[in-house]
Amino acid sequence: MRRYLVRKLIIYILTFFVAATIDWILPRLVSGNPISILLSKMSLQPGTYNATYKLYMNAFGFNRPWWKQYLTFWTALFHGNLGISIYQFPKPVTSVIADYVLFTLALLIPAILLAYFAGNRVGAMAARRKLLDNSVLPVSYLLTATAYPWLALLLAFLFAAGGIGHFFPISGGFSYGLLPSWNWTFIWSLVTHWFLPFLTLFLVAFGGWAIGMRNLIIYELESDYTHYLEALGAPTRLVRRYAYRNAVLPQLTGLALSLGMVVGGAVVTEVTFAYPGLGYLVFQAVGNNDYFLLQGIFLFIIAGVLIANFVIDIVYVIVDPRTRVGISGA
Amino acid sequence: MTVLKTDEAAEKAGAPDAAVSAGSGKPRRFEFLYFALRNKKLLLGLSVVVLFVLFAVFGPLFVQHPMLNYYIPFRPPSSSFWFGTNYFGQDVFSEFVSGLRESLLVGLLGGCGATVIGMTLGFVSGYKGGLIDEALNVLCNIFLTMPVLVLLILVAGFLHHTSGLIEGILIACTTWTWSMRAIRAQTFSLVSRDFVGLARLSGEKSRQIIMREIAPNMSSYLLLVFILSFGGAILTAASLDYLGLGPTNGMSLGIMMQQASDWNSLQLHLWWWFVPPGAAITCIVGGLYLANVGLDEVFNPKLREL
């Protein structure tokens, strides 16, 4: 178990290292560095331009040798310093991120967990049951094949813009007329704004889990231990319970692997509903050429995904006794 | 997500019948065809995909109103404007046709690229084993945990100008991990077979063994991997385009949705502007996934009885 977790941890640290390096290298690799783009907006005279360019290059340390820049980058990172945001100048990137992160977490955690549990339950029920299978399976396939932006637009149109009705607000994290405070009006406003983005993320993920669980249960019901149990005359419910517990393991691995995709879906969904989470912030950062913010959010999201991965690893160790005694290092 | 499912499904069901089909020629192939023509999932999925591909190829012949001509805006679908007109008075149908072509091409490029990279690394990793496998596997895991779309946003955010070609390559470079994972696992199970050992004894080079002995024996599997990569690439490209980070000039299904969203098609109830592109993506990708399940049943006898 120790070996398993340590191995995972090393991979996560490596991943963070690679991600940070990509983060650092990209602006230096691309022709037309961020500073020339920033300055091009100021429409300066050539002489002034060159002087300002030099000043900025000095100020940001772009004229130092690359390895020195790289070391400075890591030192700053360890001090929790991600730079200053241009879009919300002069706020530091970390405090801009802090303003938005709660919305994203409130969206992602329920969507991921509920879709996982509901999808697995429904998929397990559908396996080997003709009637349910014929309805759940096609719907699930359609849901996984749906592009996030389309589902978000469709839900917004039908339930918020008046396609069917105006049940939910179409954009924002809470009503613009309210000040954040802990009273019921505000909380209700939060909930109604939260629901449609949540539903988008939930539905797409739900389809994938249902299909996966259905297939896995069918395989489990083919296995020797199932036949043995059946031969002993065990009730179907008991057999299915064993099948479910075995099928959950690969699904748990799948949960870790799906995180990256859900995060991508959250970006698109938050943009559609102008929901003030990190995805929306990333979009704003790109639109406003705010490179420090863009880099900061990227690192922040990677760190979040890695932490979530590690939590799932720990859950895996708890759920699968084999990893505890070291029989299989999944 | 679905890539992974097949991967595990295959592991659970044992390797596909690959090794069995080696050596025998025609009868097996006819058998595949026999099962293929009787598999409803495969037929339905494939016909949907083929329909859209044909539409993308011959669609321009039906376009009556060129994309850059402007007519009366906000027109709902009618006999002269099949998909209506948008906020600016452009024909949505003509946008749809050129968007479909672009999206399919980018998807094809991204899917092919991801499969080729995944195949190369997967074969080398699975065949060589040892330290090389360890290193490649770590690389794969690193890119597997990274959120692809966020990485692509970062890259595209710094690029400023992208074309469909660059977008396809970027998608291939970030999504190869799924195919590598699947192919590596399959290669592992084939490497220990006798016929690979025999080829080694007879002094064939590693590359020849991979190309002649291993790859042909999992060709069915490679096809499945490609289909899923293709579908995944279409979805990724749609999200990227929707965020305004796709091809700078040109039209795609994602860009259509972006413009529809930017120009208040929701509030103005111009549903004919954003429903067709998204529906087309869902149909194509759904068709691909369905065909994938069908093909899996055709190639893998263990699944046929189900």
Side-chain angles (χ1 to χ4, degrees):
Chain A
M1 170 177 106
R2 190 91 159 282
R3 228 187 114 235
Y4 167 79
L5 284 181
V6 167
R7 204 187 134 80
K8 290 275 183 184
L9 209 57
I10 289 174
I11 286 185
Y12 295 149
I13 291 170
L14 269 177
T15 309
F16 187 77
F17 178 76
V18 170
T21 306
I22 291 176
D23 212 19
W24 175 83
I25 247 174
L26 263 179
R28 288 161 177 82
L29 218 60
V30 178
S31 62
N33 64 42
I35 289 185
S36 60
I37 290 159
L38 260 180
L39 291 189
S40 69
K41 281 188 191 159
M42 297 183 187
S43 59
L44 301 165
Q45 297 289 321
T48 339
Y49 178 89
N50 284 337
T52 329
Y53 185 79
K54 252 189 200 146
L55 178 77
Y56 272 85
M57 288 297 267
N58 253 327
F60 285 103
F62 279 133
N63 51 359
R64 278 184 291 171
W66 65 269
W67 57 270
K68 234 179 190 168
Q69 294 182 35
Y70 190 56
L71 281 182
T72 324
F73 170 77
W74 274 104
T75 332
L77 206 60
F78 278 123
H79 285 100
N81 178 6
L82 294 172
I84 306 274
S85 164
I86 299 168
Y87 159 61
Q88 297 198 5
F89 193 82
K91 250 183 165 181
V93 166
T94 35
S95 76
V96 178
I97 290 177
D99 290 345
Y100 287 76
V101 69
L102 276 182
F103 280 98
T104 290
L105 289 179
L107 196 60
L108 274 178
I109 293 174
I112 291 173
L113 291 181
L114 284 177
Y116 180 74
F117 286 114
N120 277 342
R121 284 282 159 201
V122 173
M125 275 194 286
R128 285 284 159 84
R129 288 198 178 113
K130 236 340 118 5
L131 214 67
L132 201 58
D133 203 17
N134 284 342
S135 57
V136 168
L137 205 60
V139 172
S140 300
Y141 269 108
L142 276 182
L143 286 177
T144 34
T146 307
Y148 280 103
W150 191 54
L151 190 61
L153 284 175
L154 212 58
L155 289 177
F157 171 67
L158 291 177
F159 301 112
I164 291 176
H166 297 272
F167 306 118
F168 297 97
I170 198 164
S171 70
F174 49 84
S175 175
Y176 294 118
L178 294 174
L179 280 172
S181 58
W182 288 116
N183 55 38
W184 287 115
T185 351
F186 184 72
I187 291 173
W188 181 242
S189 167
L190 278 179
V191 170
T192 51
H193 282 83
W194 166 86
F195 185 73
L196 283 182
F198 158 79
L199 192 66
T200 311
L201 292 176
F202 173 83
L203 283 177
V204 176
F206 173 85
W209 296 126
I211 296 169
M213 190 44 124
R214 173 216 174 246
N215 293 343
L216 285 167
I217 290 277
I218 287 178
Y219 287 122
E220 292 298 334
L221 291 181
E222 286 283 293
S223 63
D224 290 341
Y225 74 84
T226 319
H227 292 315
Y228 180 64
L229 272 177
E230 275 166 356
L232 288 179
T236 329
R237 272 193 56 195
L238 184 75
V239 178
R240 277 182 168 263
R241 202 156 71 211
Y242 275 101
Y244 184 80
R245 294 185 67 161
N246 277 296
V248 150
L249 293 178
Q251 289 286 81
L252 205 56
T253 316
L255 182 63
L257 290 173
S258 78
L259 287 176
M261 231 167 292
V262 185
V263 168
V267 174
V268 173
T269 310
E270 285 177 9
V271 169
T272 309
F273 290 97
Y275 195 76
L278 284 184
Y280 183 66
L281 191 62
V282 146
F283 182 68
Q284 296 297 330
V286 173
N288 293 293
N289 286 326
D290 190 343
Y291 298 105
F292 301 113
L293 189 57
L294 186 57
Q295 289 173 301
I297 301 171
F298 178 67
L299 274 190
F300 196 83
I301 290 178
I302 296 274
V305 169
L306 292 179
I307 291 169
N309 261 291
F310 194 63
V311 170
I312 294 174
D313 285 336
I314 291 171
V315 172
Y316 199 99
V317 171
I318 296 168
V319 174
D320 186 0
R322 282 173 303 183
T323 46
R324 248 173 290 160
V325 287
I327 295 173
S328 88
Chain B
M1 223 174 277
T2 324
V3 181
L4 158 93
K5 299 292 148 55
T6 339
D7 184 17
E8 265 142 16
E11 270 165 32
K12 287 241 162 196
D17 53 333
V20 190
S21 70
S24 56
K26 278 183 177 170
R28 292 293 298 194
R29 211 149 287 160
F30 281 125
E31 197 191 323
F32 282 148
L33 204 63
Y34 174 87
F35 283 109
L37 289 176
R38 268 153 197 79
N39 191 300
K40 277 185 203 151
K41 287 175 196 159
L42 176 62
L43 289 181
L44 181 67
L46 207 61
S47 46
V48 169
V49 175
V50 167
L51 210 71
F52 274 99
V53 170
L54 287 178
F55 188 69
V57 173
F58 297 108
L61 299 175
F62 301 103
V63 170
Q64 296 153 332
H65 312 283
M67 209 163 80
L68 292 173
N69 285 10
Y70 294 85
Y71 306 91
I72 306 165
F74 305 152
R75 281 245 287 248
S78 63
S79 56
S80 61
F81 293 91
W82 292 346
F83 287 180
T85 61
N86 65 16
Y87 188 90
F88 310 102
Q90 287 166 299
D91 182 27
V92 176
F93 181 75
S94 72
E95 281 191 321
F96 178 76
V97 170
S98 43
L100 185 64
R101 291 167 79 101
E102 176 83 19
S103 288
L104 281 176
L105 279 177
V106 171
L108 201 62
L109 191 66
C112 279
T115 314
V116 168
I117 300 174
M119 254 169 71
T120 317
L121 296 181
F123 280 144
V124 170
S125 186
Y127 181 77
K128 292 280 182 188
L131 217 65
I132 296 176
D133 174 48
E134 193 74 25
L136 287 177
N137 196 27
V138 167
L139 185 76
C140 180
N141 277 323
I142 286 174
F143 278 94
L144 210 57
T145 29
M146 256 187 235
V148 169
L149 194 68
V150 184
L151 184 62
L152 284 173
I153 290 173
L154 185 77
V155 177
F158 279 112
L159 277 182
H160 304 290
H161 296 286
T162 12
S163 63
L165 183 71
I166 297 178
E167 191 183 23
I169 294 172
L170 283 180
I171 291 175
C173 290
T174 42
T175 54
W176 52 269
T177 42
W178 302 93
S179 30
M180 179 191 158
R181 223 173 90 94
I183 290 165
R184 175 174 167 267
Q186 280 301 308
T187 311
F188 264 139
S189 75
L190 281 180
V191 161
S192 54
R193 303 278 177 93
D194 288 340
F195 63 91
V196 176
L198 202 62
R200 262 194 198 142
L201 277 181
S202 63
E204 276 191 67
K205 285 183 186 130
S206 304
R207 219 187 58 183
Q208 280 177 322
I209 296 179
I210 291 173
M211 300 292 277
R212 285 200 202 143
E213 311 291 339
I214 297 176
N217 275 312
M218 48 190 276
S219 53
S220 60
Y221 201 71
L222 295 177
L223 184 65
L224 299 184
V225 166
F226 165 70
I227 290 178
L228 289 178
S229 302
F230 184 24
I234 293 178
L235 286 180
T236 312
S239 287
L240 208 57
D241 291 352
Y242 177 74
L243 294 173
L245 298 169
T248 326
N249 46 358
M251 184 48 69
S252 78
L253 295 179
I255 295 177
M256 274 181 86
M257 289 193 276
Q258 182 214 358
Q259 292 183 345
S261 161
D262 279 0
W263 296 96
N264 296 329
S265 67
L266 297 178
Q267 288 85 349
L268 296 167
H269 288 211
L270 303 178
W271 55 266
W272 51 87
W273 197 0
F274 64 83
V275 167
I281 291 173
T282 306
C283 289
I284 295 169
V285 177
L288 285 171
Y289 286 175
L290 204 62
N292 176 69
V293 178
L295 272 177
D296 207 12
E297 289 174 6
V298 169
F299 289 134
N300 194 342
K302 279 191 181 174
L303 293 173
R304 269 181 210 148
E305 293 88 20
L306 299 178

